[in-house]
Amino acid sequence: MTIQQQRAEETRSRILQAAEECFAQDGYDKTSVAAICQCAGVSKGAFYHHFTTKHEIFMALLNRWLGGLDEQLISSQSIQATIPETLREMAGLVGGVFQAAENRFPLFLEFWSQSVRDPEVWDITVAPMQHYRDFFTGMIERGIEEGSIEPGDPQTTARVVVSLVMGLLVQGMLDPQGADWEQVAREGIRVLLEGMQQKKQ
Amino acid sequence: MTIQQQRAEETRSRILQAAEECFAQDGYDKTSVAAICQCAGVSKGAFYHHFTTKHEIFMALLNRWLGGLDEQLISSQSIQATIPETLREMAGLVGGVFQAAENRFPLFLEFWSQSVRDPEVWDITVAPMQHYRDFFTGMIERGIEEGSIEPGDPQTTARVVVSLVMGLLVQGMLDPQGADWEQVAREGIRVLLEGMQQKKQ
DNA sequence: AAAAACATACCGACCGGTCGGTATTTATCT
DNA sequence: AGATAAATACCGACCGGTCGGTATGTTTTT
């Protein structure tokens, strides 16, 4: 990689960083390209050299953000543990996720809001949801196999889990100080598992 | 009420209706006052005769929408039933709520998105959440009293319930065709109750 | 010198809000 | 009851300003 390419990529990432901050702070529409440029310390020419459109940089951010999120969650499952144990462990991670992504949450809402209008945004916003759905469906199925979860429709049960997590996310986004959301997550998963587990009769 | 007042209120509600449609379709920022006027079939003068600001009509819509929602939910609790029965019944209502408010969902997301930036919007958007929290807290407390729910922190449990409902809402908003959300709601409440109920040992 | 990486000046479109004017209804006076 | 004044409801041209995007020039690397 040449010196010039290095420099270019540095500028590119500076612009991305600045755009993320601006979008999170003021929303997509109210963030002007000029504001992004000023925040990044570059000119408009630099911006339009690296991105063809304001919309494009928005999509770039969305992809980067979702990619990272996905990686983090999938890698957090241990193999030797029981399904309920794994789920409980994942609930414990919620607090970390909240803290790590706290300032990106407004951007998240922005994505959702845009996805109603823009099919392109919809695709990559809703896809992860279905992805997690499948992920949890697999877990539930294995739980039923190993006998730790009561037989039932894994699809529906998985949707219930995802719904709970989504709800936690939204509440955490809108009212971060409203509760200890990590604790609520743990309690929620606990109760859900209690309701899903085989009763010893 | 005089003829002139009738006429005025008719135009006013026409503008409100048009604004609701436009905001839901294009979002707050991208909806121009001119577009609202065209959709309502009135002039800009009429608009600014009835509302002082674009922001004001947004708030008017928000208030109207939340008022209706609140009424609907609170009135749906029967007194003679057991707490778990009441909760199950409320879960059954979800389908109706979804169908009734389907085209308003984008507006809902818009409200949330705005609430991150606008404290005024935040107040009246997040307040209902706390309201429902208290509402469910009361129900859980009564459930504990009547012995149908295992003792624990009613606050946290209530937050779990609200989270589940919120998550269902979001998923239903973003992917209405993705599942039979009413069924998921019923199943979710069922599992939660199963986990919360006193085990006969 | 050719190309990449920027900078700057600028354009046309649009938007929220204003304002002077008009038409219709309502109140007041004779 | 008829005339007149006042208030209400509404119209639509217009303005200051912003914004996304472009065209062109300048510097730096290859």
Side-chain angles (χ1 to χ4, degrees):
Chain A
M1 185 184 310
T2 67
I3 293 181
Q4 191 146 192
Q5 281 172 320
Q6 269 182 29
R7 180 181 152 90
E9 215 157 306
E10 197 183 303
T11 326
R12 191 189 146 90
S13 76
R14 276 239 307 286
I15 296 177
L16 274 170
Q17 170 83 17
E20 185 172 341
E21 289 170 19
C22 290
F23 283 146
Q25 199 171 52
D26 300 325
Y28 179 78
D29 289 296
K30 280 185 181 162
T31 295
S32 66
V33 176
I36 296 177
C37 294
Q38 190 183 2
C39 180
V42 295
S43 72
K44 228 172 179 181
F47 181 96
Y48 281 102
H49 178 72
H50 289 282
F51 305 94
T52 69
T53 269
K54 185 183 169 187
H55 183 254
E56 191 196 279
I57 203 180
F58 183 77
M59 298 301 287
L61 277 178
L62 180 53
N63 279 317
R64 200 177 67 162
W65 153 255
L66 285 178
L69 200 74
D70 210 75
E71 232 174 278
Q72 200 170 346
L73 265 197
I74 299 303
S75 70
S76 75
Q77 50 174 333
S78 42
I79 310 189
Q80 76 285 1
T82 249
I83 296 298
E85 275 167 7
T86 308
L87 273 174
R88 263 189 288 266
E89 209 173 302
M90 294 181 76
L93 293 174
V94 169
V97 173
F98 269 49
Q99 213 164 18
E102 196 173 2
N103 37 4
R104 294 172 204 232
F105 278 156
L107 197 55
F108 209 159
L109 275 176
E110 194 69 35
F111 289 149
W112 284 355
S113 199
Q114 295 267 340
S115 77
V116 178
R117 259 91 57 180
D118 190 332
E120 198 182 343
V121 177
W122 191 90
D123 280 339
I124 53 181
T125 308
V126 174
M129 267 171 35
Q130 297 168 342
H131 189 240
Y132 297 142
R133 232 183 266 176
D134 298 341
F135 174 71
F136 283 115
T137 303
M139 285 192 64
I140 308 277
E141 275 168 353
R142 268 176 286 150
I144 294 178
E145 271 176 38
E146 76 180 21
S148 59
I149 289 181
E150 201 170 340
D153 179 17
Q155 291 264 1
T156 304
T157 313
R159 277 184 238 263
V160 171
V161 175
V162 174
S163 287
L164 177 64
V165 175
M166 284 293 214
L168 284 166
L169 264 177
V170 174
Q171 298 223 98
M173 286 189 282
L174 293 177
D175 193 11
Q177 311 303 328
D180 180 352
W181 294 111
E182 182 179 347
Q183 190 204 329
V184 178
R186 271 201 297 263
E187 174 69 5
I189 292 291
R190 195 192 66 77
V191 175
L192 274 186
L193 282 173
E194 202 87 24
M196 295 187 319
Q197 271 174 344
Q198 291 278 25
K199 310 278 161 28
K200 296 135 195 164
Q201 307 203 339
Chain B
M1 186 184 307
T2 68
I3 293 180
Q4 195 148 183
Q5 281 172 321
Q6 269 183 31
R7 180 179 155 90
E9 216 157 306
E10 198 183 305
T11 3
R12 192 189 146 90
S13 76
R14 277 237 309 286
I15 296 176
L16 273 170
Q17 169 83 16
E20 184 172 340
E21 288 171 19
C22 291
F23 284 145
Q25 199 172 50
D26 300 325
Y28 177 79
D29 289 296
K30 280 186 180 159
T31 296
S32 66
V33 176
I36 297 176
C37 293
Q38 190 183 1
C39 180
V42 296
S43 72
K44 229 172 184 183
F47 181 96
Y48 281 101
H49 177 74
H50 289 282
F51 305 94
T52 68
T53 270
K54 187 184 169 187
H55 183 254
E56 190 195 281
I57 203 179
F58 183 78
M59 298 302 287
L61 278 178
L62 179 53
N63 280 317
R64 201 177 67 162
W65 152 256
L66 286 178
L69 200 74
D70 211 76
E71 232 174 278
Q72 202 168 347
L73 265 196
I74 299 304
S75 70
S76 74
Q77 50 175 331
S78 41
I79 309 189
Q80 76 286 1
T82 244
I83 295 297
E85 277 168 5
T86 308
L87 274 173
R88 265 189 287 266
E89 207 173 304
M90 293 181 76
L93 292 176
V94 168
V97 173
F98 270 49
Q99 214 164 19
E102 197 172 1
N103 36 6
R104 293 171 204 236
F105 279 155
L107 197 56
F108 207 160
L109 275 177
E110 195 66 36
F111 288 150
W112 283 355
S113 200
Q114 294 274 337
S115 76
V116 178
R117 258 92 55 183
D118 189 334
E120 197 183 346
V121 177
W122 191 88
D123 280 339
I124 53 182
T125 308
V126 175
M129 265 171 37
Q130 297 169 341
H131 188 242
Y132 296 143
R133 232 183 267 178
D134 298 342
F135 174 69
F136 282 116
T137 303
M139 284 192 65
I140 309 277
E141 276 168 353
R142 267 176 288 149
I144 294 178
E145 270 176 39
E146 76 180 22
S148 58
I149 289 181
E150 200 170 341
D153 180 17
Q155 291 264 0
T156 304
T157 314
R159 277 184 238 263
V160 171
V161 175
V162 174
S163 287
L164 177 65
V165 175
M166 284 293 214
L168 284 166
L169 263 178
V170 173
Q171 298 223 100
M173 285 189 283
L174 293 177
D175 193 11
Q177 312 301 328
D180 179 352
W181 294 111
E182 180 178 349
Q183 191 205 327
V184 178
R186 270 200 298 263
E187 174 67 6
I189 291 291
R190 195 192 65 78
V191 175
L192 272 187
L193 282 173
E194 203 85 26
M196 295 188 319
Q197 272 174 344
Q198 291 277 25
K199 310 278 162 28
K200 294 134 196 162
Q201 306 203 344

